């Protein structure tokens, strides 16, 4: 049987999602918990990769195992077994050909910025000490929707077949004590969101104009875009799937 597991994690202690030989990762910890409780070797396939220090409010993975008799009980046992910074919300049986990565149709990220030093958000957001023009940053963010090739925001030497992404929304808003950037697309390149945010912050400080974003994207040059902001402010917040896989996502 194939199952989808929905979970969340605070990424500070982990070297990203994907298994690595000499560093602790979320995938490693989740696989160990499932293997221990199900008493067989379990390998999970995630909806995507998050880099070291990045968080996920909603993440999915799939794995194969003999039928699980009590899904709710296993969720409870997993949460008791896992460390405090990883939590499981749901387990669902899905069609045998369902794939957590390839069947995902949309992903949403948030990036959190605080304008003042904030001890309770220190590990959760990026502290920006200089004034920002949110209107200019939102004008620049909307320009992203006019383009598809985002090589300028991709990590150098990345092994991908295409740099095309369908960006469907991108905007800033004030949320209580923080400024939140939200971006949704069918897929993202490695380091893309952090590079986009760094570039938009350059617009916010007046280092570049909103219209300069067109030239940055056209250049296809990572050096023309802004610096990558710290991982601690980045959250994967939603992964969407077709209704054929499951009718309603909780989260």
């Amino acid at each position: 049987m194939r199952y989808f597991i929905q979970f969340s994690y605070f990424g500070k202690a982990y070297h990203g999602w994907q298994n690595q030989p000499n560093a602790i990762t979320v995938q490693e910890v989740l696989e160990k918990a499932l293997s221990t409780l199900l008493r067989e070797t379990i390998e999970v396939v995630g909806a995507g990769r998050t880099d070291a220090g990045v968080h996920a409010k909603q993440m999915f993975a799939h794995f194969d195992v003999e039928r699980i008799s009590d899904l709710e009980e296993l969720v409870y046992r997993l949460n008791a077994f896992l460390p405090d910074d990883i939590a499981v919300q749901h387990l669902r049986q899905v069609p045998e050909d369902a794939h957590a990565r390839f069947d995902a149709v949309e992903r949403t990220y948030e990036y959190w910025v605080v304008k003042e030093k904030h001890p309770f958000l220190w590990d959760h957001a990026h502290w920006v000490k200089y004034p920002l023009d949110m209107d200019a940053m939102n004008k620049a963010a909307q320009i992203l929707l006019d383009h598809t090739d985002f090589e300028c925001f991709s990590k150098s030497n990345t092994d991908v077949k295409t740099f095309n992404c369908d960006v469907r929304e991108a905007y800033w808003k004030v949320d209580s004590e923080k400024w939140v950037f939200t971006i949704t697309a069918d897929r993202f390149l490695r380091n893309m969101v952090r590079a986009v945010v760094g570039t938009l912050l350059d617009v916010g400080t007046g280092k570049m104009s909103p219209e300069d974003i067109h030239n940055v994207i056209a250049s296809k040059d990572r050096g023309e875009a802004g610096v990558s902001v710290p991982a601690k402010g980045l959250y994967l917040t939603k992964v969407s799937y077709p209704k054929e896989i499951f009718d309603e996502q909780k989260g």
Side-chain angles (χ1 to χ4, degrees), residues 2-20:
R2 177 155 292 184
Y3 292 89
F4 264 38
I5 183 169
Q6 179 185 331
F7 55 102
S8 55
Y9 54 87
F10 188 69
K12 181 180 180 180
Y14 302 99
H15 204 76
W17 156 256
Q18 191 170 23
N19 282 336
Q20 298 187 37

Side-chain angles (χ1 to χ4, degrees), residues 66-114:
E66 294 298 321
R67 182 179 294 276
I68 300 171
S69 58
D70 190 333
L71 294 176
E72 290 188 6
E73 174 65 18
L74 182 56
V75 169
Y76 175 82
R77 293 176 65 204
L78 280 167
N79 281 323
F81 188 89
L82 286 164
D84 293 342
D85 51 12
I86 302 176
V88 175
Q89 284 79 45
H90 298 283
L91 271 169
R92 297 177 179 83
Q93 185 181 341
V94 294
E96 291 184 6
D97 61 349
H99 197 287
R101 179 183 174 192
F102 297 138
D103 287 338
V105 295
E106 196 171 77
R107 297 161 174 87
T108 298
Y109 281 90
E110 288 182 0
Y111 194 86
W112 294 5
V113 167
V114 289

Side-chain angles (χ1 to χ4, degrees), residues 10 52-55 111 121-127 230-235:
F10 188 69
V54 175
H55 321 293
Y111 194 86
L121 290 173
W122 188 251
D123 284 332
H124 303 254
H126 175 40
W127 176 27
K232 66 180 182 179
L234 184 58
Y235 299 79

Side-chain angles (χ1 to χ4, degrees), residues 57-70:
K57 290 186 174 183
Q58 184 184 72
M59 179 65 145
F60 289 90
H62 75 253
F63 63 93
D64 297 325
V65 70
E66 294 298 321
R67 182 179 294 276
I68 300 171
S69 58
D70 190 333

